[in-house]
Amino acid sequence: MELTEKTRSQKRVFTGRLIHVRHDEVILPDGTETIREVVEHPGGVAIAALTDQNELLLVDQFRYAQQRIMREVPAGKRELGEDPLVTAKRELQEETGYQAEEFEFLGEMVPTGAYLEETIQMYWAKGLTFVGTHLDEDEFLNCVKVPLKEVVDQVMRGAIIDGKTIAMTLKLQAMLEEEQ
């Protein structure tokens, strides 16, 4: 069965600082027409920074849309056309104060494919050295070191609910188990 939808027209209905919203008219595989609303986003990166003591660097940050403090892996928005690895290195230092000797690409994730264009490039940072934080002017967060086993436990019992953090924690744990 054909699943692809064909775009008939696109109209930007909102232009924001971080996101833009589009109203698309599409033709479904059976020939009927419908509307799709799409949030445009330049994409981001997320970093699983693991210390030599097997602790994951996490950040606690108030997320306005959720109206709560969330615990997450360090992450950030890519600048238009920016290499994701450059973004990962910048965001790791800005948010945690650490630089890494090595970055390993863990893959890409789509946080919400139904209406969001954003993709997140995931990296594992190793060989960490503290050099000092450089938070953005509007960024307020606390960096914490948590043993990876404890992070996995928090994910599994629902204490950590951030999607990128869940995906990266479980992926990293599985990779480390395969190495043993």
Side-chain angles (χ1 to χ4, degrees), residues 19-22 37-41 115-118:
I19 62 164
H20 309 306
V21 180
R22 243 183 21 241
E37 295 170 337
V38 179
V39 177
E40 299 172 346
H41 185 283
Y115 59 85
L116 181 60
E117 282 185 343
E118 179 184 23

Side-chain angles (χ1 to χ4, degrees), residues 90 92-97 131-137 139:
R90 180 186 69 242
L92 178 63
Q93 184 176 347
E94 280 181 9
E95 294 191 0
T96 69
V131 295
T133 58
H134 300 286
L135 296 174
D136 292 336
E137 286 181 5
E139 200 167 35

Side-chain angles (χ1 to χ4, degrees), residues 9-155:
S9 69
Q10 295 181 328
K11 178 182 177 185
R12 185 171 285 166
V13 295
F14 173 77
T15 301
R17 198 181 81 188
L18 174 65
I19 62 164
H20 309 306
V21 180
R22 243 183 21 241
H23 177 101
D24 293 2
E25 294 179 0
V26 301
I27 301 170
L28 300 175
D30 69 359
T32 59
E33 296 180 12
T34 193
I35 304 297
R36 298 289 186 227
E37 295 170 337
V38 179
V39 177
E40 299 172 346
H41 185 283
V45 300
I47 307 101
L50 198 63
T51 69
D52 292 339
Q53 292 75 38
N54 219 31
E55 299 164 313
L56 201 55
L57 300 182
L58 300 173
V59 295
D60 292 335
Q61 185 173 13
F62 183 77
R63 292 300 194 180
Y64 183 82
Q66 295 295 317
Q67 287 294 298
R68 64 174 113 181
I69 296 169
M70 295 182 65
R71 180 160 282 181
E72 307 173 10
V73 291
K77 178 181 74 76
R78 289 176 52 202
E79 298 301 326
L80 199 59
E82 183 176 43
D83 182 297
L85 182 56
V86 171
T87 310
K89 289 177 179 180
R90 180 186 69 242
E91 291 296 331
L92 178 63
Q93 184 176 347
E94 280 181 9
E95 294 191 0
T96 69
Y98 284 85
Q99 290 180 340
E101 290 177 15
E102 182 183 347
F103 283 82
E104 182 177 332
F105 182 66
L106 295 180
E108 176 181 64
M109 73 162 293
V110 175
T112 306
Y115 59 85
L116 181 60
E117 282 185 343
E118 179 184 23
T119 60
I120 298 175
Q121 309 300 308
M122 301 181 296
Y123 291 92
W124 176 8
K126 309 171 194 177
L128 304 178
T129 303
F130 186 77
V131 295
T133 58
H134 300 286
L135 296 174
D136 292 336
E137 286 181 5
D138 63 347
E139 200 167 35
F140 301 90
L141 53 83
N142 294 320
C143 179
V144 295
K145 294 178 186 176
V146 183
L148 181 59
K149 182 178 178 356
E150 187 177 321
V151 178
V152 171
D153 290 343
Q154 290 176 12
V155 164

